Amino acid sequence: MTIRLVSSVQATMASVSGFIIATSCHDVMTDRHWLATQYVWFAATYMVYDLCAMYLCHWHRCLEKGHVDEKKYSLRSLKSFLRRDFLMVLHHVAIVTILLPVTVSLRRGLGDFFLGCLLMTELSTPFLSLGKALYQLEKQNTVLYKVNGLLVLLAFFLCRILVFPYMYWAYSKQYSIPAYMVPFHIPLHCNVGNLAIMAPQLFWFSLLLKKAKRLFSSPKGTDHSTKHSVNNRKNSD
């Protein structure tokens, strides 16, 4: 629960910072805001903390089930963690090793607006954290859980999917060119970077849609994974 709370606080701070940055930049390429660089330093250190916290939580869960060694940092435990959360680990590592140096030095002070938009992708995290907390409390059948599930889908789609075409549209408006021509007006690495960031978002969104389908297609709002865990508990009694 504590990790969920910390994650939600960080996500809220990131979203607010991103909104301030994006709305302060009238020129999407050249306008600057001091938060753009400073917050990325904070976000990078948070990602290191979050990665460690995720691993320790995974290790404790697996230890209770007897799936890992008692040594916290054994090769078996690390492999188990990577198999389960590979994309999330890759996401965290990329922020520290790629986004941080690009933001601080390689972009030469350009594009604070786009960085602000990317920070706002964290807006869906508090809803995701609330959903996981409710799941742990076995509140899957409550109205709050279902409403939060819809808010997760809406926030994720708006802030993690739609934000990418929005950034291209904002660039096209700034330079008075058709939106479909923007990919040909910006450097190739910008398009590749956007695609690399967007691809896992599409994958995660597809998983959320599948989970929502299970949730709302079940008569009592209990998804298959919940039924499976209940059956396991009954069989063990």
Side-chain angles (χ1 to χ4, degrees), residues 25 33 54 68 74 90 132 144 156 174 177 218 223 236:
C25 296
H33 194 284
M54 285 169 53
V68 295
S74 67
L90 185 63
K132 291 178 180 178
L144 177 59
F156 202 99
Q174 177 76 52
I177 60 174
S218 176
D223 61 23
S236 63

Side-chain angles (χ1 to χ4, degrees), residues 104-237:
V104 173
S105 58
L106 298 181
R107 66 189 179 98
R108 303 188 305 277
L110 298 175
D112 280 14
F113 168 81
F114 301 110
L115 182 60
C117 290
L118 291 176
L119 286 174
M120 284 191 286
T121 60
E122 290 293 319
L123 185 61
S124 61
T125 300
F127 302 107
L128 287 166
S129 296
L130 177 59
K132 291 178 180 178
L134 291 172
Y135 185 88
Q136 290 178 341
L137 295 172
E138 299 184 349
K139 300 294 184 181
Q140 300 93 325
N141 297 327
T142 62
V143 174
L144 177 59
Y145 186 80
K146 292 182 178 181
V147 171
N148 184 72
L150 292 175
L151 291 175
V152 166
L153 290 175
L154 179 62
F156 202 99
F157 179 73
L158 291 176
C159 300
R160 291 184 178 247
I161 306 296
L162 213 58
V163 67
F164 292 95
Y166 170 74
M167 288 190 292
Y168 279 78
W169 173 82
Y171 185 96
S172 71
K173 185 179 179 182
Q174 177 76 52
Y175 293 99
S176 302
I177 60 174
Y180 67 86
M181 292 298 296
V182 173
F184 305 101
H185 279 253
I186 61 178
L188 177 62
H189 64 266
C190 293
N191 291 312
V192 172
N194 282 331
L195 183 61
I197 297 172
M198 187 177 182
Q201 313 304 325
L202 291 172
F203 173 74
W204 286 323
F205 187 63
S206 68
L207 295 181
L208 289 174
L209 287 175
K210 291 178 181 178
K211 183 177 180 181
K213 183 180 179 180
R214 291 197 303 267
L215 176 65
F216 290 100
S217 62
S218 176
K220 294 183 179 181
T222 304
D223 61 23
H224 176 74
S225 60
T226 306
K227 292 179 180 178
H228 181 69
S229 63
V230 171
N231 289 334
N232 285 342
R233 286 198 297 269
K234 288 181 178 179
N235 292 335
S236 63
D237 290 342

Side-chain angles (χ1 to χ4, degrees), residues 39-54:
Y39 195 85
V40 170
W41 277 109
F42 171 78
T45 56
Y46 166 79
M47 289 299 167
V48 174
Y49 149 80
D50 194 47
L51 197 58
C52 295
M54 285 169 53

